Amino acid sequence: MIEISSRKRGRLIEYEVGSVVIRLIPGRKVYMPSAATLLIARNLEELDGAEILDLGTGSGFLAILSSKLGADKVVATDVSRRALEAARENARLNGAHNIDFRLGSVYEPVGSETFDLIICNPPMTPSRTPLPGYTWGGADGRVILERVVKGAPEHLRKGGRLIMPVISLVGVDRVYALMRRVGLKPRAIDYVTHPFGRTLLRLINYVKGLPDADFFYDGLGRPCWRLVLFEALRT
Ligand SMILES: C[S@@+](CC[C@H](N)C(=O)[O-])C[C@H]1O[C@@H](n2cnc3c(N)ncnc32)[C@H](O)[C@@H]1O
């Protein structure tokens, strides 16, 4: 398992992912690396020569990491202009020059291009009303992630993989079944658990009413979600 640590370094935040160092500019109202981001990061191995799509790049962290792990080409997309600007600046700061940043929703910015690996940490917080764009996954939390899964087979080369975390509040079994239905071969490769943050604590009664949501209480009585990391292969 790859070790990850982070610290403040002047005005920057510095992450060490194994032997890779990434520095990010904080405070740009952009999604900064979270438990889900780091769960993906610790499962990325050498990517020598690979072509990668980082869907919903946020700060650009996973795109920069992919570049530093040897990817030949990285396409990083987001619907947020602000996120893309921040990600571009972070990429420059880290000397990651082979990232192509593109604005647009889900697969729109890549047309019919295909990749060896698609990485996506989709917005998955379920809520009837909109939340800040980078966390809202629609009423059941699956709106974006289902589009990502359904479009994956036509954007992956044979033997290519989709790596995506799924939060237990949106129904892990349902997403697994969808991956199989679209012809991918999924397997769970890692997981983490985490206490609900402020937004989810506010939404807890709504979450309790969702038929597929699953969470547990830890020893301190805090509600916690599970996050399962899937690797889904295009055979
Ligand atoms: C949970 S954040 C993940 C950011 C980053 N990949 C990470 O793991 O730190 C989700 C990102 O997806 C972007 N996003 C939301 N809806 C999207 C869509 N329809 N198409 C592409 N990106 C989207 C958000 O702006 C946000 O940057």
Side-chain angles (χ1 to χ4, degrees):
M1 184 69 61
I2 297 168
E3 292 289 320
I4 303 183
S5 60
S6 64
R7 66 195 62 78
K8 275 202 85 177
R9 180 83 74 199
R11 66 185 184 101
L12 305 175
I13 304 186
E14 182 177 277
Y15 297 82
E16 254 183 77
V17 185
S19 58
V20 176
V21 175
I22 296 176
R23 296 188 181 99
L24 299 183
I25 305 165
R28 309 280 307 264
K29 291 200 183 149
V30 164
Y31 186 97
M32 291 294 280
S34 65
T37 318
L38 301 182
L39 180 67
I40 298 174
R42 75 184 187 193
N43 283 281
L44 291 181
E45 297 135 18
E46 290 303 311
L47 297 172
D48 278 345
E51 297 196 2
I52 317 280
L53 172 61
D54 177 21
L55 255 177
T57 195
S59 68
F61 180 82
L62 293 170
I64 296 166
L65 178 61
S66 301
S67 167
K68 290 188 172 254
L69 288 173
D72 210 29
K73 169 181 154 192
V74 183
V75 175
T77 71
D78 210 291
V79 273
S80 159
R81 223 174 264 280
R82 187 170 55 205
L84 281 185
E85 271 167 29
R88 246 191 221 107
E89 209 172 329
N90 284 325
R92 259 197 307 271
L93 179 71
N94 288 279
H97 300 300
N98 62 343
I99 307 176
D100 181 358
F101 292 98
R102 301 186 197 171
L103 183 69
S105 185
V106 192
Y107 294 103
E108 274 165 21
V110 296
S112 58
E113 283 171 70
T114 57
F115 299 87
D116 301 303
L117 176 65
I118 299 172
I119 306 166
C120 183
N121 172 18
M124 290 182 281
T125 306
S127 161
R128 227 188 313 264
T129 50
L131 301 166
Y134 47 76
T135 58
W136 190 43
D140 59 12
R142 291 193 300 270
V143 169
I144 307 291
L145 79 79
E146 284 186 352
R147 287 172 62 194
V148 173
V149 171
K150 286 178 184 165
E154 65 186 271
H155 291 95
L156 282 172
R157 298 179 183 145
K158 204 169 171 346
R161 300 170 295 149
L162 165 68
I163 291 191
M164 188 177 77
V166 178
I167 196 165
S168 56
L169 306 180
V170 308
V172 172
D173 292 352
R174 274 188 90 113
V175 181
Y176 177 82
L178 176 65
M179 285 173 169
R180 290 186 58 104
R181 229 172 21 248
V182 301
L184 297 171
K185 206 170 157 197
R187 66 185 183 113
I189 54 171
D190 200 356
Y191 80 100
V192 284
T193 63
H194 205 280
F196 280 28
R198 245 190 322 215
T199 305
L200 279 173
L201 285 173
R202 191 166 49 75
L203 290 167
I204 193 159
N205 286 328
Y206 177 70
V207 169
K208 279 180 183 166
L210 292 172
D212 303 302
D214 173 42
F215 63 92
F216 66 97
Y217 290 89
D218 69 6
L220 299 172
R222 298 174 301 180
C224 298
W225 39 258
R226 296 180 182 82
L227 192 67
V228 178
L229 187 67
F230 280 106
E231 178 186 74
L233 186 70
R234 205 210 124 188
T235 52

